[in-house]
């Protein structure tokens, strides 16, 4: 007890699975977190095992008061907006300055009072977790992640209508395995938009990315990066165009502080697929080059 357990990582899929063998949960848009409750102490670890206990104080206090045994909980640390949706862009600020606003959604129970539960069925682990946390209390900074059993497509459609990031589907009979898993599947809500290419980055060891902007009232507003997800022939055509459009400096909202960026004249437009409900692009890919 006390050793960090590398988390189970869901596999990204285009559509959720169907059938009675699956349960579906909201995909919370926050930081994957593991809470360890040992004696009177409580610790919080990041997805990579870094100890962030000093950042998660109020949540850890609530967890220790709520769970009356030693345990390891797996879940997501979030901050919520006025509608109760997780708000990723406010999370870093909340952790640093307003950690009393953090909420931990627990979705799995890995260890209890000397017993390793990872070989139990997912539905049994979650049932024991729900019992440990007790009846729902909306005012508490630790909550049980409720699940839905039924059509994955219908649940995902409901999540999209609510502008949520997506859902996670879990095989009810599965055990808990660290690392990438096909027993946990995530389906994300995306949308497609038209953007202007204002530059690109090519860092060693990383996929090249385009720097994109919105064009509103003849003004450009930098919105983020996107990875080209197009055929090799179109990718070669894209890089040839970017080299031709290379500019000496940015006359765009990116600013001079981005030393890795290569500026281009803002005439090339692309279609990019990205997560819904975000001010800046996240998990964005370029799907089409638009002809001038």
């Amino acid at each position: 007890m006390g050793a960090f357990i590398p988390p189970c990582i869901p596999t990204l899929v285009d559509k959720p699975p169907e059938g009675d063998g699956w349960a579906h949960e909201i995909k919370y848009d926050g930081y994957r977190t593991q809470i360890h409750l040992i004696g009177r102490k409580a610790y919080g670890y990041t997805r990579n095992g870094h100890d962030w206990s000093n950042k998660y104080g109020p949540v850890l206090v609530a967890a220790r008061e709520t769970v009356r045994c030693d345990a390891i909980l797996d879940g997501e640390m979030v901050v919520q907006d006025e509608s109760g949706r997780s708000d990723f862009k406010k999370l870093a600020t909340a952790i640093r300055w307003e950690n009393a606003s953090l909420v931990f959604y627990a979705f799995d129970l890995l260890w209890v009072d000397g017993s390793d539960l990872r070989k139990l069925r997912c539905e049994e682990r979650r049932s024991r977790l729900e019992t440990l946390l007790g009846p729902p209390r909306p005012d508490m900074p630790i909550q049980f992640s409720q699940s839905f059993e039924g059509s994955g497509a219908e649940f995902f459609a409901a999540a999209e209508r609510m502008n949520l990031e997506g859902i996670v589907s879990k095989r009810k009979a599965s055990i808990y395995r660290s690392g990438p898993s096909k027993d946990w599947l995530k389906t994300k809500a995306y949308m497609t938009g038209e953007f202007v290419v204002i530059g690109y980055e090519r860092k060693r060891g990383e996929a090249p990315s385009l720097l994109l902007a919105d064009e509103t009232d003849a003004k450009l507003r930098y919105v983020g990066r996107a990875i080209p997800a197009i055929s090799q022939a179109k990718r070669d055509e894209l890089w040839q165009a970017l080299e031709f459009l290379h500019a000496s400096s940015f006359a765009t909202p990116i600013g001079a502080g981005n030393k890795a960026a290569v500026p281009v004249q803002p005439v090339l437009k692309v279609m990019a697929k990205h997560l819904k409900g975000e001010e800046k692009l996240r998990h964005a890919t370029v799907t089409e080059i638009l002809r001038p």
Side-chain angles (χ1 to χ4, degrees), residues 248-266:
S248 60
S249 63
F250 273 115
T252 68
I254 290 182
N258 190 346
K259 296 181 180 179
V262 178
V264 299
Q265 299 174 40

Side-chain angles (χ1 to χ4, degrees), residues 151-202:
S151 170
E154 290 181 7
F155 187 64
F156 179 66
E160 282 194 300
R161 288 194 297 270
M162 297 172 65
N163 286 324
L164 300 177
E165 186 190 7
I167 67 172
V168 176
S169 305
K170 298 175 182 176
R171 198 184 302 274
K172 293 189 286 186
S174 64
I175 65 174
Y176 190 98
R177 292 187 177 91
S178 298
S181 172
K182 292 187 177 179
D183 290 323
W184 289 20
L185 304 176
K186 60 183 177 182
T187 314
K188 293 185 176 182
Y190 287 91
M191 63 182 297
T192 301
E194 181 178 309
F195 302 95
V196 179
V197 181
I198 57 175
Y200 64 90
E201 289 183 351
R202 273 182 157 171

Side-chain angles (χ1 to χ4, degrees), residues 200-264:
Y200 64 90
E201 289 183 351
R202 273 182 157 171
K203 295 181 180 179
R204 181 176 297 178
E206 297 182 13
S209 58
L210 302 184
L211 307 178
L212 305 181
D214 264 336
E215 189 172 20
T216 306
D217 297 328
K219 294 182 180 180
L220 293 174
R221 181 180 67 92
Y222 174 64
V223 292
R225 298 169 173 79
I227 303 297
I230 51 181
S231 69
Q232 187 60 54
K234 289 188 176 295
R235 196 173 300 180
D236 292 342
E237 181 183 336
L238 169 65
W239 294 121
Q240 289 176 8
L242 292 176
E243 289 177 1
F244 177 77
L245 294 171
H246 174 68
S248 60
S249 63
F250 273 115
T252 68
I254 290 182
N258 190 346
K259 296 181 180 179
V262 178
V264 299

Side-chain angles (χ1 to χ4, degrees), residues 88-110:
F88 185 81
K89 61 181 177 289
K90 293 182 179 179
L91 184 55
T93 300
I95 289 173
R96 185 172 183 182
W97 303 109
E98 302 172 4
N99 60 7
S101 66
L102 297 175
V103 179
F104 177 73
Y105 276 92
F107 49 64
D108 216 321
L109 182 63
L110 311 185

